[in-house]
Amino acid sequence: MPLMNSSLIPLCAAALVLLIASGTSVAAERPPNVVLIFVDDLGYGDLGCYGATKLSTPNIDQLAAEGRRFTDAHSASAVCTPSRYGLLTGQYPVRAMGGQGIWGPLPTTSGLIIDTNTQTIGKVFKNKGYATACLGKWHLGFKEEPCDWQVPLRPGPQDVGFDHYFGVPLVNSSSPYVYVNDHSIFGYDPNDPLVYGGKPVSPTPMFPEEASVKSPNRFSGALKAHEIYDDEKTGTLLTERAVKWITEKKDEPFFLYFATPNIHHPFTPAPRFKGTSQCGLYGDFVHELDWMVGEIVQSLEDNGLTDNTLVLFTSDNGAMLNRAGRDAIKAGHQPNGELLGFKFGVWEGGHRVPLIAKWPGKIKAGTQSDQLISQVDLFATFSALTEQEMPSSEQKDSINMLPALLDAPSEPLRTELVLAPRQPRNLAIRKGKWLYIGARGSGGFNGSKPQHHAWGGPAAVQFSGHRNSDIVNGRIKKNAPPAQLYDLENDRSQTTNVYRKHPEVVEEMKALLESYRPKQGSQGQPSKRSGPR
């Protein structure tokens, strides 16, 4: 065999070096994976890194220690379904339903409320060739209105940007108490379909009062699917599926939207977590959530994906003052920390939520940001991350917050923000340090007695030990101002309504709010679309 011409050796070596360098460059330029952990009803004060002392969240705290913690982040609404709509579409929920807005949780028979032609964060990633999955709570409807729950459950998550869906279709406190896998019922038997309103209803586990309310089942049939569904195993099941999916997709860029049922009522942690906190089942359910986060983070590490993965952790709204929440407060825990109010209401406790971001080498570890940020901003942020132009005609509410993740901008990226409660009349607007609420009270729940599942409003303020100048003895004062204005820079706890001290600011904020508010008569009656709580 003839020897290679010596003059060709340097050329071959150079080509080899170029090939290796090119391969390294391609590997280095692989798009980042994104894992969005979107939890349910977790309050601003429910994590150790946000001040909790009666429970322990070492895995989530480690995320904050290795990344950035935000102190002024908000869900688009103080209610689960509207906040999820805003997250996925990048639009304020007041724009949903053809402009009438979505204000409350969807009922059991709701069709899909996201138009399948609308851009979503799932589609943003799919446009760039990402594998996409939604695992966990959906609560945005299936099929056309009304949903009859017969398979296939289309349109659904797979029609708005997700290759794969598995999880709790509505909410863990309400039927049908089955899991959905892609567009079918998990454990589906064509000879035994789900029947809404059928008799006798199919059995599902129930829990004592201290776990808070779980509504009775409203479906018959699907006995095999109902046997599979287990509240106390749901967290483990979803986590195992997330870890498996990450491992299967490790060789391609992926986006995982992991929407946990924790810590929505009923509080049903796996038995190994019960009794592990100092604030009852409430804290125990947070402990299970922390374990779930730890397992997902560890799976990224085990698959060599940590350095090229952006992990985001946040909540769909603030904590709710249900039975377990009240027990936690009695034990010395404040679910929303120093913030006024609870889930469903537009006071800060209803929508200011934890937000933690980790991306080694890109986000400086152990940092904090006071940037005003909304979850609707993730649409524009993910568009920028994947180097795509955002369709401004649809996504006019979303602002690119990538600079707030990667750098430390000296100026605010967002200057105003619309915040929605359960009641349209209490729609609010934030501009700089000012928060204006267009009516008295929080616009959320107003239960006031121990047997009431849905405490909120003035009575909840009294129970939790917070203060507000409009409230005395658990009621709104008769001479309280007709609306509310708060200086959040100097009064984040909203102790003092300064409506009458700054009439010029009130007029400016009122006009700004009206520019966003749905036209008169378009809001409908929110109770007609009110679903499980």
Side-chain angles (χ1 to χ4, degrees):
M1 183 175 182
L3 295 174
M4 180 181 290
N5 187 320
S6 61
S7 65
L8 294 178
I9 293 176
L11 292 175
C12 291
L16 182 61
V17 170
L18 182 62
L19 181 62
I20 293 172
S22 175
T24 303
S25 175
V26 169
E29 292 174 2
R30 170 177 159 169
N33 310 304
V34 176
V35 174
L36 171 58
I37 302 172
F38 198 62
V39 305
D40 201 343
D41 287 6
L42 187 82
Y44 191 82
D46 278 335
L47 303 175
C49 55
Y50 281 83
T53 60
K54 297 294 183 178
L55 49 78
S56 177
T57 53
N59 293 303
I60 301 170
D61 295 351
Q62 187 66 25
L63 270 185
E66 295 176 353
R68 179 162 294 173
R69 184 175 68 91
F70 288 80
T71 64
D72 202 359
H74 301 260
S75 55
S77 169
V79 188
C80 53
T81 291
S83 70
R84 290 163 198 273
Y85 177 91
L87 173 81
L88 292 186
T89 66
Q91 298 181 28
Y92 290 137
V94 297
R95 304 191 192 281
M97 309 298 292
Q100 76 174 29
I102 180 72
W103 302 91
L106 286 188
T108 307
T109 57
S110 174
L112 178 68
I113 62 168
I114 298 176
D115 190 309
T116 55
N117 294 315
T118 298
Q119 271 284 39
T120 66
I121 56 176
K123 290 181 180 180
V124 165
F125 288 104
K126 278 185 68 68
N127 291 344
K128 282 299 216 179
Y130 278 61
T132 60
C134 170
L135 302 178
K137 177 179 174 178
W138 180 241
H139 212 175
L140 290 164
F142 291 88
K143 305 188 74 171
E144 304 292 339
E145 181 95 12
C147 175
D148 60 8
W149 288 95
Q150 301 308 299
V151 299
L153 297 173
R154 303 288 292 267
Q158 291 178 293
D159 300 283
V160 292
F162 297 101
D163 299 324
H164 173 54
Y165 170 70
F166 181 91
V168 179
L170 202 69
V171 62
N172 56 321
S173 65
S174 183
S175 50
Y177 301 127
V178 296
Y179 303 115
V180 169
N181 185 35
D182 290 331
H183 54 267
S184 185
I185 305 298
F186 191 58
Y188 174 68
D189 179 353
N191 296 314
D192 185 26
L194 273 175
V195 179
Y196 179 68
K199 303 290 183 181
V201 296
S202 300
T204 188
M206 299 301 287
F207 299 92
E209 291 182 3
E210 55 265 30
S212 297
V213 172
K214 179 180 178 180
S215 302
N217 195 9
R218 301 177 71 186
F219 286 78
S220 66
L223 289 178
K224 181 180 177 181
H226 280 109
E227 287 175 0
I228 295 171
Y229 187 92
D230 189 324
D231 302 77
E232 293 187 348
K233 294 180 180 177
T234 296
T236 300
L237 174 64
L238 292 174
T239 304
E240 290 173 346
R241 284 185 163 260
V243 168
K244 183 175 183 289
W245 189 83
I246 288 171
T247 303
E248 290 173 347
K249 303 301 179 183
K250 65 181 179 181
D251 294 325
E252 57 183 305
F254 62 78
F255 169 57
L256 172 61
Y257 170 45
F258 188 66
T260 74
N262 304 56
I263 60 171
H264 191 283
H265 63 89
F267 292 78
T268 55
R272 68 184 184 276
F273 296 104
K274 291 182 180 180
T276 59
S277 75
Q278 298 177 50
C279 50
L281 285 173
Y282 189 99
D284 300 343
F285 215 24
V286 176
H287 282 189
E288 181 178 60
L289 170 66
D290 185 73
W291 170 82
M292 295 164 71
V293 172
E295 291 294 296
I296 290 176
V297 171
Q298 186 61 49
S299 74
L300 296 173
E301 183 67 27
D302 292 344
N303 287 294
L305 301 170
T306 298
D307 289 345
N308 198 39
T309 301
L310 168 62
V311 178
L312 292 162
F313 174 95
T314 190
S315 177
D316 69 341
N317 45 246
M320 180 175 171
L321 193 60
N322 43 36
R323 164 64 190 273
R326 296 197 292 273
D327 288 348
I329 288 177
K330 290 176 182 177
H333 175 65
Q334 283 289 354
N336 289 322
E338 68 180 275
L339 303 180
L340 184 72
F342 293 88
K343 174 184 176 178
F344 283 90
V346 80
W347 292 329
E348 289 292 284
H351 51 78
R352 189 184 291 231
V353 292
L355 173 61
I356 299 168
K358 173 191 170 185
W359 189 3
K362 299 291 194 300
I363 297 175
K364 189 175 180 181
T367 53
Q368 176 180 301
S369 173
D370 299 327
Q371 282 279 341
L372 175 62
I373 184 170
S374 171
Q375 289 167 1
V376 300
D377 297 330
L378 290 182
F379 183 96
T381 303
F382 292 156
S383 296
L385 179 70
T386 55
E387 300 179 338
Q388 298 180 70
E389 290 291 328
M390 186 175 65
S392 57
S393 61
E394 289 189 10
Q395 313 302 335
K396 53 191 171 185
D397 302 321
S398 188
I399 293 174
N400 174 22
M401 287 290 168
L402 200 57
L405 295 177
L406 305 181
D407 300 308
S410 57
E411 296 296 324
L413 300 177
R414 172 181 279 283
T415 57
E416 59 189 55
L417 173 61
V418 175
L419 295 158
R422 177 67 185 87
Q423 297 296 334
R425 66 176 177 271
N426 291 79
L427 190 67
I429 186 81
R430 170 83 179 271
K431 184 176 182 180
K433 70 177 185 176
W434 297 110
L435 175 70
Y436 174 78
I437 303 170
R440 291 176 170 181
S442 71
F445 285 150
N446 283 299
S448 60
K449 296 180 180 179
Q451 69 269 26
H452 291 165
H453 166 59
W455 268 26
V461 172
Q462 181 179 24
F463 177 85
S464 62
H466 293 80
R467 294 184 299 109
N468 179 269
S469 59
D470 288 354
I471 298 170
V472 62
N473 296 327
R475 298 177 181 274
I476 299 291
K477 296 177 181 177
K478 291 183 178 180
N479 63 343
Q484 300 167 76
L485 180 70
Y486 297 100
D487 177 355
L488 297 180
E489 185 177 289
N490 297 300
D491 183 21
R492 190 170 73 165
S493 299
Q494 296 177 285
T495 62
T496 307
N497 179 5
V498 295
Y499 177 95
R500 290 182 173 133
K501 292 183 179 179
H502 300 279
E504 71 290 348
V505 177
V506 167
E507 289 305 310
E508 177 189 353
M509 297 292 285
K510 183 178 180 181
L512 182 60
L513 177 62
E514 290 304 312
S515 70
Y516 286 99
R517 190 184 292 277
K519 290 183 174 60
Q520 190 70 27
S522 70
Q523 295 170 21
Q525 296 297 320
S527 60
K528 291 181 180 179
R529 293 199 62 84
S530 179
R533 295 167 173 176

